[in-house]
Amino acid sequence: MTENAQQQPTAPITELPTQYTPAEVERTLYERWVEKGYFTADAKSDKPPYTIVIPPPNVTGSLHLGHAFQHTLMDALTRRKRMQGYEALWLPGMDHAGIATQNKVEQQLAEEGKSRHDLGREEFVERVWQWKEEYGGRILGQMRRLGDGVDWSRERFTMDEGLSKAVLTIFKRLYEDELIYRAERIINWCPRCLTAISDIEVEYQDDAGELVSIRYGEGEDSLVVATTRAETMLGDTAVAVHPDDERYQHLIGKQIKLPLTDRTIPVVADTHVDPEFGTGAVKVTPAHDPNDFEIGRRHDLPSLTIMDEHGIITVHGPFLGQDRFEARSAVVGALKEQGRIVAEKRPYMHSVGHCSRCKTTVEPRLSLQWWVKVGPLAKAAGDAVRDGRVKIHPEDMSKRYFDWVDNMHDWCISRQLWWGHRIPIWYGPDGEVVCVGPDDEPPTGEGWTQDSDVLDTWFSSGLWPFSTLGWPEQTEDLRKFYPTDVLLTGHDIIFFWVARMMMFGLYAMDGQVPFHTIALTGLVRDEFGKKMSKSNPNAVDPLVWMDAYGSDAVRFTLANGANPGADVPIGEDWVKASRNFTNKIWNATRFALMNGATVEGPLPDASEMSAADRWILSRLNTTVAQVDAYYDDYQFAKLADALYHFAWDEVFDWYVELSKTTFFAGGEQARVSGRVLGEVLDVTLRLLHPVIPFVTDALWTTLTGGESLVIGEWPADSGFRDKDAELEIALVQRVVTEVRRFRKDQGLKDGQKVPARLELDGTALAPHEAAIRQLLRLQPEGETFAATATLPVAGATVALDLSGTIDVAAERKRLAKDLAAAEKEKAQANAKLGNEAFLAKAPDNVVDKIRGRLTKADEDIARIKAQLDGLPQA
């Protein structure tokens, strides 16, 4: 909290409107939180640090439900820790999103009839910065709508001056440690974006293709290969067979004629070939296939590039200038004319890579690129999890992490773009190569040029946990807030981002892990479990729901579905239900304030309290302990569910209702219960605040007169438990529940009053007669009382006068039908459980299920008979 916030406490809301209107509360409340500096962390504080860095959204992005989901959980974690006395830093920022942002600006230019080449590199980059200032960062304003308690004073951008310095620093260190190198390798090339993309930026999908079988060579010195990419045969430099394949022993080492060309190519033996698949012979195109590239390296084969960066054929006259897909048909036609097609084309579904940005079919292509040698870095990232320095939650997600880091290929980090961190390598006129760090002067003079490529976006975002805190400078922030505590992110970017941060964090920070816990979430889906997509009608703008139901309702719905690592279904009806919950909290707190709820003075001694008072305090402390345990285990769905049922069911539906007679009667007991209710509301609002911060802060400041729950204290379990009170109130709940069910069975309306005689003497229920009558709408018996229904329950008897309220004959007929069904169910269950042959074969869970059916049938029979006995004779 800032000094200014301490000097100027905010006046609490003094009155609660009759109805909660989120829009009138949320925006002004958030701005007050920010102005007071509640979210600004102090690096000089003596408090223990708690740090989360936000997964930086793309500068091109806007808030979607996935963001809202993860931000809700991160905000809840941070708010709770701040209330627990930690110096909590939740650091915001954005990613420059190289390809995505460049595409946006290029689309703008295209509308003007221009390309980036018309502007030149410097002017184009300036145009991107202008776009960023004008259109970028919409999501930051939307994060405010959601209530994100981030430290806006520390907002970062992956292309800002400090982070750019960090990028140059680590590039030079890796280069000097020979962990960055330049080499010609097969990469994934996007002919639309005109850049290399990494393996994890390729989306694979099953596409319909055609498998073509082609004969290479002549006569006995021939073999057949099959391919879905016939155009690439123009770049074949060998045919490979398995060394043990008897069919081709006579051909291994020989040269055979490559159709449509004037070249011959060798037949090589390589164990990579599967002799059982197809013909057992495969064409080898080292410049256009990653597996073929490796075969080519093993056998010292030449690599022939046959198409340019646009996917246009650059070799062999008849096909020169054709697009790759146009050339595919043309090549097959030419082969057919020569009689080289030995089998008709047939449909073939196969997995094809597409650019994750523009969905263009990716082309494997031999290219000179910059690479990170990931071997030692990936090993360190794996060891940090294996030795327990970093925990992955849920633990079963560790396998996915290890599958990736233990089998990681070298990382292609160069991109043929203009927007991004330019690779800090200069080339001299005589073949010199110089890496320039942030404090170095680049070489000058004739013939010196900088590498034209930029770095992969994930290179800079991989530095995020420490670069945002000021690294490579040894800043106060870095000393205070690194390592960060938890990385909360989707399991879908373990490979993109999590592994990169682990590798770079351990390398740059001398073995210090970037975070202690990796908490992985699932993906948000629609209510039917389908993936949400902008191209599908099921995509939802969370801002629309926030406008309609309030940000708290959206947040609570998302938290309530957040089981660790599991996908999160969400539908509008669920958000409406959460809106109803916020309304319930508002209305119940308003009622409580009007009826004596207070936080003034110490909590009365237990001896002064009613059983209901002691019961709710016992349940309150149990809930505090449960919620703490769930937070520590990242069980957001369970903590939200526990809070929902405690607040709605136990506080509002039971305790408030049980206490109404006390409040109406007034006196000392009303004062005691009013203080207890104030305590319960105070603690409940504190518990709810991290998940639903707006409504809870508005209510809490009114209840307590405190400045803000954002800087309030997190409740602690006092240890108070009263099992006797819990058992006593459980009896009351049983009586009320059973009689309510009976009333419903009789078709009585909820508010319909019924004369009743309660025989409670000798039971723990006796002190609660007034409350039971209030809850059940039971009138005194009166002079004309005639018991037409008698219900024995919990050791007591409730006699009701239903004369004139029900058709006794019709009710007896209905109950007789229900009794027959229950007795039939009991007979069937007994028959199965008495069958030795069935018990010997049936699984334990099946037998347990039947025993459960028998128990329920017995209970139903007892209940229905009691109802029949309680009815008068027709």
Side-chain angles (χ1 to χ4, degrees), residues 270-288:
D270 197 283
T271 55
H272 171 76
V273 179
D274 180 2
E276 302 298 324
F277 183 77
T279 64
V282 298
K283 57 191 287 302
V284 182
T285 320
H288 293 277

Side-chain angles (χ1 to χ4, degrees), residues 433-448:
V433 179
V434 176
C435 181
V436 177
D439 301 320
D440 302 330
E441 290 293 329
T444 57
E446 187 176 348
W448 282 93

Side-chain angles (χ1 to χ4, degrees), residues 709-731:
L709 254 184
V710 180
I711 53 172
E713 290 185 11
W714 183 253
D717 175 7
S718 70
F720 179 84
R721 300 291 190 278
D722 192 323
K723 293 300 180 186
D724 290 338
E726 292 195 34
L727 291 171
E728 186 171 328
I729 299 304
L731 290 176

